[in-house]
Amino acid sequence: MPELVSLGPKPPAAAPANAGPRRTVFVHTFGCQMNESDSQRMVELLGQAAWSPVSLPEEADLILVNTCAVREKAEQKLLSALGRYREHKARRGTVIAVAGCVAQAEKERLLKRVPYVDFVFGPDHLAELPGMVARAARERFAETGWMDSEEYLFPRADPEAARGRATAFVTAMKGCDNVCSFCIVPHTRGREVSRPAAEVVEECRRLAEVGVREVTLIGQNVNSYRGGCDFATLLRRVAALEGVARIRFTTSHPHDLSDALVEAFRDEPKVMPHFHLPVQSGSDPVLARMRRDYTVAGYLERFDRLLAARPGIAITTDFIAGFPGETEEDFEASVRLLARARFDNSFSFVYSPRPHTGAVRRLGSAPEWAEVPREVAVARLERLQAVQRRLSAEALASRLGSDVEVLVEGPGDEEGWRRGRTPHNHLVHFAASEARAPAGALLPVRVTRAGGSSLSGELR
Ligand code: SF4
């Protein structure tokens, strides 16, 4: 049930936070695509209540900081961002709110710790945002209770706000029922709840109607989706929509990579040939301590099935370096796995002890849970990333001279350039006017240069 925490009436603000006919909001987003999507929904919801987004915090009547708790560093970044926003509050009475996973984990503690934060709310309360902003004029509060599956209303994308965009996120599920010992997400996002398939498909249809060509279905553990059908069936239902040209999804757990999902990759060309499949470690004992419920051999078996079903598919992953008890040998196994799988890209981080997790409770309790010294973990991370940089550069270089279909997303970094993505999710820059390459167009581009993290080319 929702949990209500009020810290009493507010002292008067220096200036009215909602002065002017149309008020302004600045959103600062940390973390994953789930957070990016939630931030978009917040802007859309406030847009319906006469709020306009601005790109500078000093111009905002409301600053929303949407947080991530996956790594300790993200929390430190939140505190330093809040420190910067304090002066705007002093100057123009800006209301400051904190959303997302840190808000959920810290609850009213955050209000006590940062006295100039006006309100705090967890991910399940996003739909109440306009009401909470009004309430913030009267009191400071934290809304961080869970919604169970019957109560929970998934935030809907506003198709009008997506008009003119090539891509959009569509929430398919939320929460996670796994108990990976390093991960705070089950504590901050709660149990899995899947959105009814009809609702997901209808949202995709309405987005396609306003010109969105690519939808990314999102959820913390999206391939365990159970909203009246399995995830593979959901993908096929979205693929059946005429205006949708490309489908992506994130993020997945290897144990939910079913045969049906592999077959969807084999049969459905609208499902893009890119799969983010986090492995976390190349060592079985480490995977067991992480509670990842697969072995390296089991992971590779799924990996090979995917490659066989969709030759050339780009598979990306996550690694953690320096997990408790990780030996040199365990780490070498991760490097070997990286070299064997030749991941298209990987996101790797030093292990960060998070509250409320199994690993932090056991840290240092036995030799196999020994803390890895930070300098050792950082050196391992750098080694892993150096190997990945080489592999990613080779993957990009292999596209040189080929023609790729690019979905145009918008302007490039330089005047007269546009940017878009290939089916394999590689960023491509090319020279063209907006008229020739409008957002949402699918255009052939000949790859003429491969950098470390993106391609450039010429329109065919
Ligand atoms: S699957 Fe594991 S790592 Fe992913 S969100 Fe759930 S608990 Fe965290």
Side-chain angles (χ1 to χ4, degrees):
M1 288 298 292
E3 166 191 333
L4 179 72
V5 178
S6 169
L7 293 193
K10 281 179 67 158
N18 51 2
R22 205 166 166 94
R23 292 160 292 169
T24 50
V25 56
F26 172 80
V27 185
H28 184 158
T29 307
F30 292 97
C32 62
Q33 287 175 312
M34 204 73 190
N35 266 16
E36 271 180 51
S37 166
D38 283 354
S39 292
Q40 250 173 38
R41 294 295 92 83
M42 290 185 211
V43 169
E44 289 168 12
L45 273 167
L46 289 170
Q48 290 157 13
W51 289 82
S52 304
V54 287
S55 54
L56 294 172
E58 49 270 40
E59 292 172 358
D61 298 314
L62 168 67
I63 294 177
L64 283 171
V65 189
N66 195 7
T67 60
C68 169
V70 169
R71 279 172 290 282
E72 203 175 6
K73 216 169 156 190
E75 283 182 26
Q76 289 156 2
K77 282 188 192 164
L78 161 70
L79 293 174
S80 82
L82 288 174
R84 292 196 302 277
Y85 298 147
R86 185 181 195 170
E87 63 169 288
H88 306 313
K89 186 177 194 72
R91 197 171 44 79
R92 62 182 282 160
T94 306
V95 172
I96 300 178
V98 181
C101 290
V102 176
Q104 184 63 44
E106 288 294 306
K107 304 180 171 59
E108 70 276 15
R109 281 192 297 275
L110 195 57
L111 292 177
K112 290 186 181 136
R113 218 164 135 198
V114 191
Y116 48 90
V117 165
D118 293 274
F119 67 102
V120 163
F121 63 104
D124 280 9
H125 293 271
L126 199 154
E128 300 152 38
L129 181 56
M132 287 191 287
V133 176
R135 186 173 149 205
R138 305 187 300 275
E139 59 177 343
R140 299 177 73 222
F141 60 90
E143 283 282 14
T144 52
W146 297 120
M147 300 280 184
D148 63 29
S149 50
E150 283 76 42
E151 292 172 300
Y152 188 70
L153 284 176
F154 280 90
R156 287 158 195 254
D158 176 1
E160 275 316 307
R163 196 181 282 281
R165 286 209 304 258
T167 63
F169 293 120
V170 174
T171 308
M173 56 84 72
K174 67 151 194 137
C176 182
D177 287 351
N178 294 311
V179 279
C180 303
S181 66
F182 54 84
C183 183
I184 195 172
V185 164
H187 182 77
T188 58
R189 295 273 178 164
R191 309 292 290 176
E192 289 176 9
V193 183
S194 292
R195 190 176 182 190
E199 221 180 275
V200 176
V201 174
E202 175 60 11
E203 187 161 301
C204 294
R205 189 191 65 74
R206 295 182 66 205
L207 287 164
E209 238 173 39
V210 298
V212 168
R213 306 305 307 278
E214 177 182 298
V215 289
T216 301
L217 304 181
I218 56 168
Q220 270 85 30
N221 203 13
V222 75
N223 59 341
S224 75
Y225 177 84
R226 293 182 297 266
C229 63
D230 65 9
F231 188 59
T233 307
L234 181 68
L235 287 178
R236 290 178 191 271
R237 287 179 62 179
V238 175
L241 296 168
E242 209 180 311
V244 171
R246 291 179 166 195
I247 306 168
R248 302 186 189 277
F249 58 88
T250 195
T251 191
S252 301
H253 191 296
H255 77 184
D256 291 309
L257 175 47
S258 62
D259 290 347
L261 186 50
V262 172
E263 283 158 19
F265 270 98
R266 183 193 62 200
D267 304 336
E268 186 41 75
K270 288 186 183 178
V271 176
M272 288 293 99
H274 168 228
F275 199 122
H276 186 68
L277 194 60
V279 66
Q280 309 297 0
S281 171
S283 153
D284 286 342
V286 173
L287 287 174
R289 288 200 296 283
M290 288 177 167
R291 301 192 64 170
R292 289 294 284 181
D293 81 359
Y294 52 82
T295 59
V296 176
Y299 179 90
L300 284 172
E301 189 265 322
R302 291 174 173 98
F303 180 98
D304 289 340
R305 263 194 296 146
L306 257 178
L307 268 180
R310 192 77 175 262
I313 186 171
I315 302 178
T316 55
T317 199
D318 296 336
F319 278 104
I320 294 173
F323 187 75
E326 183 188 71
T327 61
E328 250 342 281
E329 203 182 310
D330 292 323
F331 173 69
E332 287 300 334
S334 288
V335 179
R336 274 199 304 280
L337 173 63
L338 179 54
R340 146 71 161 90
R342 297 187 63 82
F343 290 108
D344 204 78
N345 205 350
S346 61
F347 302 90
S348 46
F349 306 95
V350 163
Y351 168 70
S352 177
R354 307 310 297 127
H356 316 290
T357 58
V360 91
R361 280 194 289 274
R362 290 180 192 83
L363 189 59
S365 63
E368 70 271 25
W369 284 99
E371 190 168 354
V372 175
R374 182 154 174 89
E375 62 279 13
V376 173
V378 169
R380 288 178 185 170
L381 180 76
E382 283 168 0
R383 236 189 98 198
L384 208 55
Q385 292 183 339
V387 177
Q388 184 61 66
R389 274 196 298 278
R390 178 174 58 75
L391 293 173
S392 296
E394 286 172 13
L396 289 169
S398 72
R399 312 277 167 187
L400 272 172
S402 65
D403 289 344
V404 288
E405 184 190 62
V406 173
L407 174 64
V408 183
E409 291 183 357
D413 295 339
E414 286 171 42
E415 187 71 34
W417 283 70
R418 306 288 287 164
R419 97 188 122 70
R421 281 188 186 267
T422 68
H424 295 85
N425 209 27
H426 296 140
L427 190 62
V428 186
H429 290 91
F430 57 97
S433 65
E434 187 179 354
R436 183 143 184 243
L442 282 160
L443 299 172
V445 172
R446 168 87 32 104
V447 178
T448 54
R449 205 183 72 83
S453 58
S454 65
L455 302 168
S456 34
E458 288 162 5
L459 262 185
R460 299 292 292 149

